[in-house]
Amino acid sequence: GNSVTQMEGPVTLSEEAFLTINCTYTATGYPSLFWYVQYPGEGLQLLLKATKADDKGSNKGFEATYRKETTSFHLEKGSVQVSDSAVYFCALIGMDSSYKLIFGSGTRLLVRP
Amino acid sequence: DAGVTQSPTHLIKTRGQHVTLRCSPISGHKSVSWYQQVLGQGPQFIFQYYEKEERGRGNFPDRFSARQFPNYSSELNVNALLLGDSALYLCASSLDPEQLGELFFGEGSRLTVL
C-alpha cells in the first residue's frame, strides 16, 4: 500500500541554519506530494505541494522537489527562524485513492535564537 | 472569514460511552474529511463526505460513523469507546474532492477515554 516515511525528530537548529527534513514514499504510479505544518496551538496548514515528477513546490522560503527516481520529497530551507518551530508532516495522495491524504509520522523542528 | 471550526475542543469520556464531534467547514466548501491523530503520529484518514455522500472510508471499525448535513457541516460519531480511541480528531474541508490534498484543517477535538 501507499506510505510515507519521515526522519525522526526532534530536529534542533540555531537561527539562520540550513534545514533538511527527509521524506520518502511508497506508492504506485504518480502520487501528489505535500508538506503540511502544525504550529503550536494551531491546525495543520498546507505548506507546499508538487503534483508531478521534478516539480518543485515552494512557500515561505521552504522548498521541496518531487524526485521520482529516489521516491523522495525532502523539505529544505536555507535559513530558519525561531518562528519556523513546528511539526512538519510529509503526505501523499495516491492515484488509486484520491480522497485521502496519507501522512508521515511528523518531524518536530525546534529553532533556538 | 472563519476557518474550519470544531466542537468541543476537549472532552473526557469513559470506556463504552458514545461521543459526537462536530465540524463546520469554511463557507463555500462542500467536502469534509475526518482524521484521527494519535499522540506522536501523523493523522490517519477516517472519512470523506461530499454533498452529503460518503466518498471514502479509512480502515476504522464500524463503531465510527459520520454524516454531512445540507449546510455541509458534519458529525463524527464513535460508539462503545475504547481506551485506544483517545486522540485528536481533525476535521478538514475543501471546495470539492478534486482539490486533491489541499485541505483546510480545524484545530481539532481532543478526546480522552478513561
Side-chain angles (χ1 to χ4, degrees):
Chain A
N2 298 333
S3 65
V4 176
T5 303
Q6 285 183 243
M7 64 187 287
E8 292 207 11
V11 173
T12 304
L13 296 173
S14 297
E15 209 165 21
E16 300 184 3
F18 183 86
L19 168 70
T20 300
I21 299 178
N22 290 338
C23 170
T24 58
Y25 68 88
T26 300
T28 52
Y30 295 86
S32 294
L33 302 174
F34 306 84
W35 278 99
Y36 275 80
V37 58
Q38 192 169 38
Y39 296 104
E42 298 185 20
L44 277 164
Q45 301 174 26
L46 177 63
L47 181 60
L48 53 83
K49 69 171 186 176
T51 57
K52 60 183 187 294
D54 300 324
D55 265 3
K56 179 184 285 188
S58 61
N59 187 26
K60 300 182 180 180
F62 291 89
E63 293 184 339
T65 302
Y66 188 149
R67 301 286 188 201
K68 180 67 175 173
E69 63 276 11
T70 54
T71 61
S72 65
F73 193 55
H74 304 322
L75 183 68
E76 297 181 335
K77 187 174 186 183
S79 176
V80 293
Q81 306 299 312
V82 171
S83 57
D84 293 327
S85 298
V87 181
Y88 292 82
F89 292 92
C90 186
L92 70 80
I93 278 202
M95 297 176 68
D96 54 348
S97 54
S98 61
Y99 50 83
K100 66 178 180 181
L101 273 167
I102 295 171
F103 286 89
S105 56
T107 302
R108 182 175 298 278
L109 170 66
L110 296 170
V111 181
R112 299 222 165 110
Chain B
D1 285 343
V4 176
T5 57
Q6 294 187 242
S7 64
T9 55
H10 295 83
L11 68 165
I12 299 173
K13 295 284 188 178
T14 57
R15 280 177 295 175
Q17 285 190 311
H18 163 271
V19 68
T20 297
L21 307 177
R22 295 178 175 84
C23 172
S24 292
I26 291 172
S27 178
H29 285 194
K30 299 180 179 180
S31 179
V32 169
S33 301
W34 287 94
Y35 287 78
Q36 181 196 63
Q37 186 177 13
V38 172
L39 195 62
Q41 298 182 21
Q44 285 207 306
F45 173 78
I46 310 176
F47 288 109
Q48 186 194 69
Y49 276 79
Y50 176 66
E51 293 281 15
K52 297 170 286 180
E53 298 283 330
E54 183 184 298
R55 287 283 299 252
R57 169 187 280 261
N59 188 23
F60 281 80
D62 291 344
R63 300 184 295 107
F64 288 75
S65 63
R67 54 180 176 168
Q68 186 177 33
F69 299 100
N71 66 352
Y72 304 112
S73 67
S74 178
E75 281 183 356
L76 176 70
N77 294 282
V78 187
N79 293 324
L81 286 167
L82 303 174
L83 296 179
D85 295 331
S86 295
L88 181 67
Y89 288 85
L90 299 170
C91 176
S93 73
S94 60
L95 279 169
D96 58 59
E98 300 311 312
Q99 301 296 316
L100 299 178
E102 295 188 40
L103 303 182
F104 294 81
F105 284 85
E107 293 183 26
S109 294
R110 184 166 296 284
L111 170 65
T112 301
V113 182
L114 302 177

